[in-house]
Amino acid sequence: MQLYGTDITSRLLLGSAQYPSPAHLTKAIAASGTEIVTVSLRRETAQGSGAGFWDILRQTGVRILPNTAGCHTATEAITTAQMAREIFATPWIKLEVIGHSDNLQPDVFALVEAAAELTRQGFQVFPYTTDDLVVGDRLLGAGCEVLMPWGAPIGSGQGLRNPDALRAMRAHFPEVPLIVDAGIGCPSDAAQAMELGYDAVLLNTAVAKAGDPIGMARAMATAIDAGRMGFNADPMEAREMAAPSTPILGLAELV
């Protein structure tokens, strides 16, 4: 797939927070095969550990996608993005503007505002958004070339709470790279997102908080590959009634 003109092979984007240790993080990155890791500016600079953490990520060879996690206004998100560009030397930014403190739902009004300003400043914006078609249109109009709708609230592990809305989004934006971001809890959730025709999945907690983060990273990568292959194979449509797999004609009749 292509993201802002960059060819990306792996369809798994991985977060870098909450791992038991830096060693678990680096091994999970390797096991997942990811090429993109998200990093919060707050995580990078917390408690004076930023330089060491940044060195660890550099050694993995992945592309960094800084994010504005924890921002609650457009102004705060824009300022954070500007600082992230200086630190990580990339125009990429995962834009988060949180509007609800309990379910961490995006503030879509501030999100569009921030996306328009950051695009004007030369950023390549990856917006964490809802599965709303109108909001998606507004973000594309603001200059975004990628949309990242949530599957469920961040860190909830609930999977895809509204697959019909995600399916509609895929149909409405057939040429836009779409990445399910947030809510993935297990490999089957990731596979389902890919079977809907999504281009990639971004997840963090499901791997970082698993009993075996390295094993879960490998499982998620495998599920994403399987889901993508299934989508490309044009799966059969669901039926309301049974349909015999063995032809009736030609069967022996016992009299």
PDB file of all heavy atoms in Angstrom, residues 10 69 80 99 112 121 124 194 196 221 233 239 241:
ATOM      1  N   SER A  10       4.166  -3.986   5.078  1.00  0.00           N
ATOM      2  CA  SER A  10       3.386  -4.524   6.194  1.00  0.00           C
ATOM      3  C   SER A  10       2.113  -3.714   6.395  1.00  0.00           C
ATOM      4  O   SER A  10       2.131  -2.481   6.345  1.00  0.00           O
ATOM      5  CB  SER A  10       4.205  -4.501   7.484  1.00  0.00           C
ATOM      6  OG  SER A  10       3.398  -4.852   8.596  1.00  0.00           O
ATOM      7  N   ALA A  69      -1.238  12.156  21.054  1.00  0.00           N
ATOM      8  CA  ALA A  69      -2.052  11.537  22.107  1.00  0.00           C
ATOM      9  C   ALA A  69      -2.153  12.453  23.320  1.00  0.00           C
ATOM     10  O   ALA A  69      -1.173  13.085  23.733  1.00  0.00           O
ATOM     11  CB  ALA A  69      -1.436  10.203  22.514  1.00  0.00           C
ATOM     12  N   THR A  80       1.803  20.374  19.582  1.00  0.00           N
ATOM     13  CA  THR A  80       2.457  19.079  19.805  1.00  0.00           C
ATOM     14  C   THR A  80       3.012  18.528  18.498  1.00  0.00           C
ATOM     15  O   THR A  80       4.130  17.979  18.458  1.00  0.00           O
ATOM     16  CB  THR A  80       1.469  18.079  20.424  1.00  0.00           C
ATOM     17  OG1 THR A  80       0.972  18.606  21.660  1.00  0.00           O
ATOM     18  CG2 THR A  80       2.139  16.747  20.690  1.00  0.00           C
ATOM     19  N   GLY A  99     -12.124  14.275  22.577  1.00  0.00           N
ATOM     20  CA  GLY A  99     -13.257  15.095  22.973  1.00  0.00           C
ATOM     21  C   GLY A  99     -14.005  14.582  24.185  1.00  0.00           C
ATOM     22  O   GLY A  99     -14.790  15.312  24.785  1.00  0.00           O
ATOM     23  N   VAL A 112     -10.918  18.313  12.522  1.00  0.00           N
ATOM     24  CA  VAL A 112     -10.913  18.889  11.177  1.00  0.00           C
ATOM     25  C   VAL A 112     -10.167  20.215  11.174  1.00  0.00           C
ATOM     26  O   VAL A 112      -9.379  20.502  10.256  1.00  0.00           O
ATOM     27  CB  VAL A 112     -12.353  19.063  10.662  1.00  0.00           C
ATOM     28  CG1 VAL A 112     -12.364  19.833   9.349  1.00  0.00           C
ATOM     29  CG2 VAL A 112     -13.022  17.704  10.480  1.00  0.00           C
ATOM     30  N   GLN A 121       0.594  23.675   6.933  1.00  0.00           N
ATOM     31  CA  GLN A 121       1.979  23.803   7.371  1.00  0.00           C
ATOM     32  C   GLN A 121       2.890  22.709   6.809  1.00  0.00           C
ATOM     33  O   GLN A 121       4.059  22.629   7.168  1.00  0.00           O
ATOM     34  CB  GLN A 121       2.040  23.769   8.900  1.00  0.00           C
ATOM     35  CG  GLN A 121       1.377  24.961   9.571  1.00  0.00           C
ATOM     36  CD  GLN A 121       1.506  24.916  11.085  1.00  0.00           C
ATOM     37  OE1 GLN A 121       2.362  24.215  11.635  1.00  0.00           O
ATOM     38  NE2 GLN A 121       0.671  25.676  11.780  1.00  0.00           N
ATOM     39  N   GLN A 124       1.809  15.727   6.841  1.00  0.00           N
ATOM     40  CA  GLN A 124       1.044  14.655   6.211  1.00  0.00           C
ATOM     41  C   GLN A 124       0.282  13.962   7.344  1.00  0.00           C
ATOM     42  O   GLN A 124       0.865  13.255   8.162  1.00  0.00           O
ATOM     43  CB  GLN A 124       1.971  13.708   5.464  1.00  0.00           C
ATOM     44  CG  GLN A 124       2.665  14.407   4.293  1.00  0.00           C
ATOM     45  CD  GLN A 124       3.740  13.579   3.636  1.00  0.00           C
ATOM     46  OE1 GLN A 124       4.336  12.694   4.246  1.00  0.00           O
ATOM     47  NE2 GLN A 124       4.011  13.855   2.374  1.00  0.00           N
ATOM     48  N   MET A 194      -9.614  -6.468   8.067  1.00  0.00           N
ATOM     49  CA  MET A 194      -9.028  -6.655   6.748  1.00  0.00           C
ATOM     50  C   MET A 194     -10.018  -7.291   5.779  1.00  0.00           C
ATOM     51  O   MET A 194     -10.037  -6.976   4.587  1.00  0.00           O
ATOM     52  CB  MET A 194      -7.766  -7.500   6.855  1.00  0.00           C
ATOM     53  CG  MET A 194      -6.684  -6.910   7.746  1.00  0.00           C
ATOM     54  SD  MET A 194      -6.203  -5.231   7.289  1.00  0.00           S
ATOM     55  CE  MET A 194      -5.404  -5.532   5.707  1.00  0.00           C
ATOM     56  N   LEU A 196     -13.064  -6.672   5.658  1.00  0.00           N
ATOM     57  CA  LEU A 196     -13.961  -5.596   5.225  1.00  0.00           C
ATOM     58  C   LEU A 196     -13.336  -4.754   4.116  1.00  0.00           C
ATOM     59  O   LEU A 196     -13.995  -3.867   3.572  1.00  0.00           O
ATOM     60  CB  LEU A 196     -14.310  -4.688   6.404  1.00  0.00           C
ATOM     61  CG  LEU A 196     -15.206  -5.282   7.489  1.00  0.00           C
ATOM     62  CD1 LEU A 196     -15.382  -4.292   8.639  1.00  0.00           C
ATOM     63  CD2 LEU A 196     -16.562  -5.685   6.930  1.00  0.00           C
ATOM     64  N   ALA A 221       0.021 -10.139  13.105  1.00  0.00           N
ATOM     65  CA  ALA A 221       0.543 -10.012  11.741  1.00  0.00           C
ATOM     66  C   ALA A 221      -0.007 -11.114  10.846  1.00  0.00           C
ATOM     67  O   ALA A 221      -0.392 -10.865   9.692  1.00  0.00           O
ATOM     68  CB  ALA A 221       2.068 -10.059  11.772  1.00  0.00           C
ATOM     69  N   ALA A 233      -9.547 -12.687  -2.185  1.00  0.00           N
ATOM     70  CA  ALA A 233     -10.076 -13.907  -2.799  1.00  0.00           C
ATOM     71  C   ALA A 233     -11.571 -13.808  -3.093  1.00  0.00           C
ATOM     72  O   ALA A 233     -12.163 -14.771  -3.601  1.00  0.00           O
ATOM     73  CB  ALA A 233      -9.801 -15.100  -1.889  1.00  0.00           C
ATOM     74  N   ARG A 239     -25.648 -16.287   3.364  1.00  0.00           N
ATOM     75  CA  ARG A 239     -26.994 -16.668   2.939  1.00  0.00           C
ATOM     76  C   ARG A 239     -27.899 -16.758   4.157  1.00  0.00           C
ATOM     77  O   ARG A 239     -27.432 -17.049   5.257  1.00  0.00           O
ATOM     78  CB  ARG A 239     -26.988 -18.039   2.247  1.00  0.00           C
ATOM     79  CG  ARG A 239     -26.077 -18.162   1.034  1.00  0.00           C
ATOM     80  CD  ARG A 239     -26.008 -19.630   0.599  1.00  0.00           C
ATOM     81  NE  ARG A 239     -25.114 -19.849  -0.519  1.00  0.00           N
ATOM     82  CZ  ARG A 239     -25.495 -19.904  -1.790  1.00  0.00           C
ATOM     83  NH1 ARG A 239     -26.784 -19.736  -2.082  1.00  0.00           N
ATOM     84  NH2 ARG A 239     -24.622 -20.116  -2.753  1.00  0.00           N
ATOM     85  N   MET A 241     -30.459 -18.948   4.091  1.00  0.00           N
ATOM     86  CA  MET A 241     -30.868 -20.347   4.110  1.00  0.00           C
ATOM     87  C   MET A 241     -29.687 -21.240   3.790  1.00  0.00           C
ATOM     88  O   MET A 241     -28.685 -20.799   3.214  1.00  0.00           O
ATOM     89  CB  MET A 241     -31.986 -20.589   3.075  1.00  0.00           C
ATOM     90  CG  MET A 241     -33.235 -19.764   3.314  1.00  0.00           C
ATOM     91  SD  MET A 241     -34.115 -20.239   4.812  1.00  0.00           S
ATOM     92  CE  MET A 241     -34.703 -21.867   4.337  1.00  0.00           C
TER      93      MET A 241
END
